[in-house]
Amino acid sequence: DEHGKTSASPQKSDVNSNVFTLSTMDTVYYSPTSIEVTVEGRYEPQIIWFIGGQAYSSQNNPHLTPTISSAWSGSKKTFNLAFDMSGFEISMSPFTVRGTVSFGDATDSTFDTVTTNIYKREFVESLPASTTFRNADIPKEFLCSALGEVKELLTLSWKIGDVLVDDEVEHVTLTDESDSSSTTTKISKLTITTNKPTFDAQFKCIATWSGLNGKSIESTSDVNAVGVAVDEYTFSTGSSGDGVISCVVWGDSPPHSVTWSNERGDAITNQPDETEIADSITEGITYTHTLTVKKMTFGDQGKYTCSVVFVENETPVNVVTTLNKLSASFEPATPYFVHEKTVQFSCVYNGLDDPQKIEWFRSSTDDAENLISNSDAKYTITTGNFNEASRTKTSVITVENVEVTDSGDYTCKWTTENFNPKSTMVVSVRLLTTPSTTVYSTDGSIKITCNYEGTTSGTMEWYYNSQKLEDAADDAITINPGSLQSNAQQYTLTITDVTPPENAGSYSCVLSFTDGDSLRASTEVVVRKSSSVDRAGTAESTIVVTGDELSARCLMEGDKVPSGVTWTKGGDNIVFDGSTKIENTNTKQLESSVKFFSNITIKSFDFADEDSYICSFIFGDGNNVQSTIEVVSAKITNNECEFVDIRTETSKTLTCAYHGSSAATAVSFTLPDDSVVAGVLAEFSAGGDASTAGSQTGSYAVSSVSEASSGSYKCTFTLTGGKTVEFIQRLTARKAVIESSAGLNANLIVQSSITLTCTVASGARSLDWYKGAVKLIEEQDYERIKVSESDDLVSKITFDIADDSAGSYTCRAVQYDDFCPTEETFDSEPVAVSIIAAAPITNPASATAYGGASHVFECVFPNPFGADYNEITWSFKSAGDSVARPMIGNGDVYNDQNERVIDGTKASDSSVANEISTTLTIGSVNSDAAGEYICSIKWGTISIKSAAATLTVREISSPPETTNVAKGGEAKFTCKTSGDSAALITFHKTISDESVGTVVVTEATSGDIVTTTGILTIAGVTAAEHGIEYYCKAAWGENGVESGNVFLSVLDITSSTETVWGLAGNVAEFKCYSDALLKANANGDPYLVNKQKTYADAQISWEFFDTSDTSWKSTASNSRFVVKTTMRSDDGVSLSPMSLNNLEEGDNDLKVRCNIAYQTDAANNFYGGTVTSGELTMKIGSITSFTSSKSDPLVGETITLTCTATGETAPTFSFTTRGKNNFDTTFFKLVKAATVTSVDSVHTAEYTTETLRVNTMINGQVFNCLADYGSAQKTEKELTVTTYFNCADVTWK
């Protein structure tokens, strides 16, 4: 038992006959898990297992599948519950298990086992069963993960072979990869950092749980390590010895091939006295291959490659070693360039043996007089220990207080038992310095010096930060290389026009030599620059004061804020009092510099305050900067506001006056569009004394003044030295523009109206209207019309023309604003209004017209303007219109659907003096033309309108329409008229014009319109009436109108299957064809609605004739009848099938008929009814007789078989014998094949055969006649023919 088992004290039931023993373990952690309970006693126990607190069942525990078993051992019964936990999910939650023991009817007592907690312990991620790795796989990682109840009880450890992996094991690292959030799982990673033969072993990951239920489980992997290695460095065995390289290969089998090559890639082979490749030496899984370089020289030094192919055709694995000859060398390598006052370099020994001593010489030779003593204060020599791994030893010499004269050769020599390697170093001392680490620029230029000490001259380059500086022609940079004298040379760099952001920073001089050496020296340059600037920060050396206040600003840009600022005027310090003389400062920190501003304000500035002003910025390091400002007094006076009424003036001259100490050199004017033009400059008039300013004027003439001329004009005087002084004056150019809907000379009729619009471009303060000298009053004299918003000032008014409206109308505008407050008044041009009388000579006359006819209106107007242009229009107002609508085009009217409802034609005639007439002809009059007609004439803004003429229309407003009707049904034709009175309505056949039927007439009046409706009804329509055309006639007294022809279409049953044949036991189908498409005319064209064919709806039913009571009954009463879905063809014929199933012989002569109940469709003028077909007869096909010409023939006689059948067509007859699918020729033979004759629906087949032998022993031959009607419909009949011997032929003996 894996988890152990102990016995508890016996527990006894009420009958004291049973005890049970069970596990006392509280928890079980690993798989498989087995829980066992043993009960002994007289009575048979039972047990119920509880898992997770619930009685176990597959429904309660669908994911747990334990094995439950029990067995007897003597008087003991053992119950076992076992789990195979390997199939559980890794994330399985713990659960409990317990059992309840009972003893059936012996006692009601039950006993519970100890509750057991089940956890899962196993590897979440195991090691692979086996794996192989090579050099290319390094680092190689192995991951192992296990889980249990709590990870604090779990440890993960590793073994490689029998070696427990810990910190002492080389080339292996262990890391804990566990997720801190997990309480049950630990993850360990083992990493192989170097491929070694020792790793060809079994790897184990061991999971160990501590505590009461401690246990270990392990996951293993058979690792095949395959690799190759050489030492990184190898050496010769002496000054003239061999170089030996060993290439060690390991794996589960020898490599396919091992080859060698040098660092040029040349293959190495066995060469006598040069190279030797020894045979492989095998030890276990290692295979050692050796290359020997004989009597090695320095030329043999370098990298050697061992290439191993493990399996044929694989890519080789290459390992490289560096082979060195026993030697001495310098680090750094010769030549060595010294740039500091102290220098240190090393001599490195390479060889197999530890050298005995090291000696240094101040020469290229190791003569004794050149030996450097370690006691010399200038030199310090230190030598390290021999490095066994790299086979090297290093000696370091340090030279103090280096001078140029220390340049030259230095030699080191190592002494060994067999060889004394030595090496020589060439040392060049070169020094490059700057006089100071910081250079200040306070005058706008930079000068930097670099001093060189050395024995040879080099090439100098200068850099600002990392940017190389070049000395180009006519630029701000000058480079002077100087010359080498007494081992010294001075180089200089000069830059003019410098600024802090662009030029402050690190400057370097870089001196390079042809031997590859280079030196660098650097200095920091601080640039401080002072300048006078305006408020925008633009430099200005002169300030022109145009008012009574001076504002000046000095800017210092540099590395930091100055400690103080002073201002002087004419050499005297300015004392700032905070009221009339004010000074303040502010600072702006930039990315690489500081801008410091000093601002001054001198109030009550006058002409006498002109002078030179100097600002000085003071620094604690004494590197101060200053700048000078020339201050000049200059003022301009002029008329700030100029106004021009451009309706009366076309030009304007603008004038401004300059006041200053000296004459201006030029004057210009900046126009509103920002263009600049030269002005006219007058002579300068000097002042009376030194403290009084002189004066000078400038002028500019604005020609062709328009609204666009309005705006600000800047008068600018240019002073000596280029400074300018300027002043703004405003020119306002305005014009009141009037527009009239009737022109500036308006000749209007009374009752018309006029619209006046006044516009002042660019705006004005107000606009008023005048008639003559009288100001008009809004709402009393005119109505204001709202206009859209505009930058212009616009006033739009309208008023009706009355008898006293004649006169002169103007608008008057007032201009002023905050800048130019003086009011300026200006008028528009006048509009002259005159009055004429207006009325037509002849108004159009009211009339009555009939539908389809035409009508002409005439109208005559006075023509006071002779042949002048005029516009004549007609307008129409129907009963539903609120206002008359203009007739468009040549006199047409369209409805809201853009359909023309009135077709009019206009004409005019002006042949009569002082008159002009117009006619309007209305063609094809209909009710839409009924209404009022008005004619109008217009000459420009003058118009005359006639009185309205009313046209009354009498018409057939709704003519009869083509009608479809079911045969036997009732058809109706409807004809409606509209007019001012009722009409007499009659119907007529088109072919004879004769009046038909009785018309039922009704009347309805709406307003002035009387609607008369006549309906013609045709009852019991027959098929013979299909295709007759009709029309209706409407009469008002002697006059009237006729409708167009309409068509009567009759829908009927077109055909049916009068006789249907079938066989007993099969199915027969009856078909009934009927009209479904509504027709539009006698040609059979379809009746279209929205361009779509229209079909009649119909209900189909079938009946059969019941001979028992001689009545027709619905087929629905007999289940053998099946009415199928009606189908409709593209040409509008409906097919209605009905089948009769399980035909019987008694169905012969059965009668059926179909009924088509057409449904009325009033919307499409279709009138329904029921149409019944004729009788359809059922015929049953069958074999009516099957006979033989002789039923008892003798052997040798010929007989004829006759088979008769009925059917629509002759069936296919076949004759066979019983039990055969063909004719059995044992007793009969064919004489003549079957022949078929038909008379109407009776068909007879004859078959002739000859008897061959007696068949009495089989009780005669059965013959079969089969009639095949096709479609798997067959019927058959049998007869028996018995053949006898002809006794006359018998011979008796």
Side-chain angles (χ1 to χ4, degrees), residues 216-230:
S216 294
I217 59 175
E218 61 184 33
S219 174
T220 63
S221 178
D222 293 327
V223 176
N224 178 22
V226 179
V228 57
V230 296

Side-chain angles (χ1 to χ4, degrees), residues 371-677:
L371 180 66
I372 297 174
S373 173
N374 201 18
S375 61
D376 190 337
K378 190 175 184 69
Y379 303 99
T380 302
I381 300 171
T382 57
T383 303
N385 296 323
F386 182 66
N387 188 320
E388 295 287 348
S390 63
R391 317 303 295 178
T392 61
K393 192 170 187 177
T394 302
S395 180
V396 180
I397 186 170
T398 302
V399 185
E400 305 286 350
N401 301 317
V402 173
E403 299 176 359
V404 175
T405 55
D406 289 323
S407 300
D409 296 337
Y410 290 77
T411 299
C412 67
K413 183 176 76 172
W414 296 92
T415 300
T416 67
E417 185 175 346
N418 299 312
F419 177 59
N420 301 323
K422 63 180 179 179
S423 182
T424 299
M425 162 84 77
V426 178
V427 175
S428 295
V429 178
R430 294 166 179 164
L431 302 175
L432 186 65
T433 59
T434 58
S436 64
T437 58
T438 305
V439 174
Y440 289 91
S441 168
T442 59
D443 60 357
S445 65
I446 296 173
K447 184 173 183 180
I448 305 171
T449 300
C450 278
N451 298 317
Y452 165 67
E453 296 178 69
T455 58
T456 57
S457 185
T459 301
M460 177 62 77
E461 292 180 336
W462 290 87
Y463 291 86
Y464 171 53
N465 294 330
S466 60
Q467 176 186 358
K468 185 179 178 181
L469 301 177
E470 302 286 354
D471 184 359
D474 300 326
D475 69 351
I477 298 175
T478 301
I479 297 175
N480 187 349
S483 61
L484 183 64
Q485 296 178 359
S486 302
N487 292 334
Q489 189 170 354
Q490 188 178 76
Y491 299 87
T492 58
L493 167 68
T494 304
I495 305 176
T496 59
D497 299 326
V498 298
T499 64
E502 299 294 330
N503 303 100
S506 176
Y507 286 79
S508 301
C509 52
V510 179
L511 188 60
S512 58
F513 299 86
T514 57
D515 54 19
D517 187 26
S518 65
L519 298 91
R520 175 186 291 267
S522 300
T523 187
E524 287 292 324
V525 174
V526 176
V527 178
R528 294 172 181 166
K529 186 173 184 180
S530 175
S531 59
S532 58
V533 296
D534 59 16
R535 290 293 176 184
T538 305
E540 61 174 359
S541 58
T542 301
I543 296 177
V544 177
V545 181
T546 59
D548 57 359
E549 184 175 282
L550 165 64
S551 291
R553 168 183 261 197
C554 270
L555 163 65
M556 190 292 299
E557 187 171 3
D559 58 320
K560 61 183 178 179
V561 175
S563 59
V565 184
T566 61
W567 285 81
T568 61
K569 170 195 168 192
D572 297 328
N573 285 340
I574 300 175
V575 177
F576 296 99
D577 56 15
S579 57
T580 60
K581 294 182 176 64
I582 305 169
E583 191 253 353
N584 60 71
T585 61
N586 59 290
T587 305
K588 184 177 183 181
Q589 178 66 55
L590 303 181
E591 183 177 354
S592 59
S593 62
V594 172
K595 283 188 175 181
F596 184 82
F597 298 89
S598 177
N599 312 287
I600 67 169
T601 302
I602 308 297
K603 297 185 176 181
S604 301
F605 186 90
D606 59 23
F607 182 73
D609 290 324
E610 281 192 348
D611 211 330
S612 296
Y613 289 70
I614 299 174
C615 61
S616 300
F617 296 92
I618 311 302
F619 290 87
D621 55 23
N623 296 291
N624 305 327
V625 290
Q626 67 179 30
S627 56
T628 301
I629 308 171
E630 296 297 331
V631 178
V632 177
S633 175
K635 297 181 180 180
I636 297 179
T637 58
N638 62 8
N639 185 4
E640 289 184 321
C641 298
E642 295 286 354
F643 180 82
V644 179
D645 181 354
I646 55 178
R647 193 172 70 85
T648 58
E649 294 182 79
T650 58
S651 65
K652 186 69 174 181
T653 298
L654 304 178
T655 302
C656 54
Y658 154 70
H659 307 275
S661 59
S662 60
T665 59
V667 66
S668 64
F669 285 80
T670 302
L671 308 186
D673 62 1
D674 292 332
S675 61
V676 180
V677 297

Side-chain angles (χ1 to χ4, degrees), residues 71-136:
W72 284 96
S73 176
S75 62
K76 295 181 181 180
K77 187 174 184 181
T78 300
F79 300 95
N80 183 273
L81 178 70
F83 292 96
D84 180 6
M85 298 175 68
S86 62
F88 289 4
E89 296 179 357
I90 291 174
S91 59
M92 182 195 77
S93 300
F95 60 92
T96 60
V97 174
R98 67 176 174 85
T100 299
V101 177
S102 62
F103 302 97
D105 296 335
T107 176
D108 294 334
S109 298
T110 59
F111 301 91
D112 289 336
T113 70
V114 175
T115 299
T116 301
N117 295 315
I118 306 297
Y119 294 89
K120 185 166 186 178
R121 282 180 177 175
E122 72 173 14
F123 284 106
V124 177
E125 184 171 351
S126 303
L127 298 181
S130 62
T131 186
T132 298
F133 67 82
R134 298 182 176 181
N135 291 30

Side-chain angles (χ1 to χ4, degrees), residues 70 236 320 437 493 555 603 634 677 748 752 814 819 967-968 1048 1078 1167 1209 1211 1280 1285:
S70 63
S236 63
V320 180
T437 58
L493 167 68
L555 163 65
K603 297 185 176 181
V677 297
L748 303 176
S752 66
V814 177
F819 189 82
K967 185 181 74 173
L1048 178 64
L1078 301 186
Y1167 297 91
T1209 58
T1280 301
F1285 281 114

Side-chain angles (χ1 to χ4, degrees), residues 13 22 25 40 56 73 103 173 214 385 468 696 715 729 745 752 785 886 908 936 969 1008 1048 1121 1144:
S13 68
L22 61 150
M25 293 286 286
E40 66 178 319
Y56 172 74
S73 176
F103 302 97
T173 60
N385 296 323
K468 185 179 178 181
Q696 194 174 13
C715 170
Q729 61 185 149
N745 292 292
S752 66
I785 299 175
S908 61
S936 302
D1008 297 331
L1048 178 64
F1121 292 100
E1144 302 170 355

